[in-house]
Amino acid sequence: MTDGFENRITELYERSLNRRIFTFTDFLNPSKQAEAERIAGRNNVKFFGGCENCERVMARFGNEEELGYDEEFPIKIIKITVTAGKFATEITHRDVLGAVLNLGIDRSKTGDIVVEKNEAYIFVADTIAEFIVNEVKSISRNPAKAEIVDEMPENMQPKTEEREISVASNRADAVVSRLYGMSREESLTKFKSGFVAINGKTCEKNEKTLSEGDVVTVRGNGKFVFIGEGGTSKKGKLYVKLNVYI
C-alpha cells in the first residue's frame, strides 16, 4: 500500500471526525478496503458498491448513530445496451471497461461491471455519470447507448450463499481444496502459480491462516468470503463458514 493512499484515507477519516460529516473514497479493491478499515476501525467505516456483494466498493467514513443522520453513497448505475440488433456481437467485461477508460476516466471512478450478452451495467461515481452517458456511443465496434437507471435487475446482481465445510485446519490451501473439490496437490499448484488472491493480493503462501472477512479469489474456480470458525466434528475436523459467490 502506498503512503499516498494511506495519507488520503487518513485525511478523509480525520475530516469526518473533525467536521462531523460523512466523507467518501473512490472505488476500492479488496486490499484497499482492508487498509481503510484498519485505519478507521470497523465501526467508523461502511462499504457499498451500488448493490450487495460488489467486489469494488466505496468507503464511507462516519458513524450515522453519532452523526445523527444518514447519507447515500455518491454512486450512479449506468445501463449500456448494444443497438446493432441481430448483427451485434456479444460484449465482454473488458470491452465495457475499455470503452469507459478510453474516455480518460480513472479506474478508481468505476466500480463493478456486470455484462450479459448485449447489455451491461456499470457502477460509477455520480460526478462522471452524465459524461459517460453522453460520450459512450459504441462498445467493441457495436453501436450502443448508455443511460442512468435506478437499479440493476435482481437476476444480474452478484449473489452468495452461506456454506459450512469441515477441514483439517483453516489454512488457505485446506479450505480451497475442500471447497472446490481438488486434491491438496492441485490446491498447492494454484497458490504457487499465483492463481489465488486474498483481499486483492496474490497469495503464494498456501499455509496462510484465514481470518474473518478475508476475501479469497481462486482463478478458474470462484470466490468466497471467510466468515469464521465453528465447532469441531467427532473426528476432530474443524467446521468453517463461508460466503460463496454463485
Side-chain angles (χ1 to χ4, degrees):
M1 200 66 58
T2 64
D3 289 339
F5 176 76
E6 291 183 6
N7 291 340
R8 177 58 176 161
I9 292 298
T10 301
E11 176 190 352
L12 288 170
Y13 173 53
E14 291 181 347
R15 185 189 306 168
S16 173
L17 287 177
N18 296 333
R19 299 186 184 181
R20 296 190 58 77
I21 59 173
F22 289 111
T23 56
F24 300 86
T25 67
D26 290 330
F27 287 94
L28 308 176
N29 62 30
S31 63
K32 290 186 176 180
Q33 294 165 34
E35 184 67 5
E37 186 172 289
R38 181 190 67 80
I39 292 172
R42 181 170 298 181
N43 293 331
N44 297 311
V45 61
K46 182 176 182 180
F47 298 103
F48 186 61
C51 72
E52 295 299 321
N53 299 319
C54 285
E55 180 173 341
R56 293 176 58 81
V57 298
M58 287 184 177
R60 185 187 73 177
F61 300 108
N63 187 309
E64 59 189 74
E65 293 184 1
E66 294 180 3
L67 296 180
Y69 72 102
D70 196 7
E71 184 174 345
E72 293 185 354
F73 282 72
I75 297 172
K76 295 291 186 182
I77 307 173
I78 294 178
K79 176 183 178 182
I80 299 177
T81 307
V82 170
T83 58
K86 64 180 181 179
F87 300 106
T89 58
E90 287 193 13
I91 56 176
T92 66
H93 181 283
R94 178 178 293 183
D95 294 332
V96 177
L97 179 60
V100 172
L101 298 187
N102 285 340
L103 300 176
I105 292 172
D106 190 271
R107 181 66 173 107
S108 65
K109 298 297 182 181
T110 64
D112 283 11
I113 299 171
V114 181
V115 181
E116 186 168 330
K117 295 183 179 179
N118 299 324
E119 191 173 273
Y121 290 83
I122 178 170
F123 300 101
V124 303
D126 62 0
T127 54
I128 63 168
E130 291 288 353
F131 175 73
I132 293 175
V133 167
N134 292 332
E135 296 298 324
V136 169
K137 305 298 181 184
S138 64
I139 302 291
S140 184
R141 299 182 180 180
N142 294 295
K145 69 173 183 177
E147 57 184 322
I148 298 174
V149 296
D150 292 331
E151 60 184 12
M152 183 171 68
E154 185 175 349
N155 67 301
M156 293 184 70
Q157 295 182 22
K159 295 179 176 62
T160 64
E161 66 177 20
E162 186 173 310
R163 297 183 191 173
E164 185 176 70
I165 61 175
S166 61
V167 291
S169 72
N170 65 350
R171 283 176 37 149
D173 58 350
V175 176
V176 167
S177 175
R178 180 71 176 85
L179 176 63
Y180 295 117
M182 60 180 72
S183 68
R184 293 295 286 271
E185 290 74 18
E186 290 173 321
S187 173
L188 180 61
T189 299
K190 289 282 187 180
F191 283 88
K192 298 305 181 185
S193 300
F195 288 178
V196 180
I198 299 179
N199 298 325
K201 293 182 178 180
T202 299
C203 178
E204 296 183 0
K205 296 182 178 180
N206 58 291
E207 73 276 11
K208 176 179 172 59
T209 299
L210 295 178
S211 302
E212 179 183 348
D214 279 347
V215 180
V216 182
T217 303
V218 183
R219 192 187 309 174
N221 294 91
K223 181 170 69 171
F224 65 90
V225 181
F226 186 82
I227 300 175
E229 299 179 11
T232 56
S233 70
K234 293 181 179 179
K235 295 183 178 181
K237 292 282 188 177
L238 175 68
Y239 289 111
V240 297
K241 291 184 178 180
L242 314 170
N243 260 336
V244 182
Y245 284 76
I246 56 176

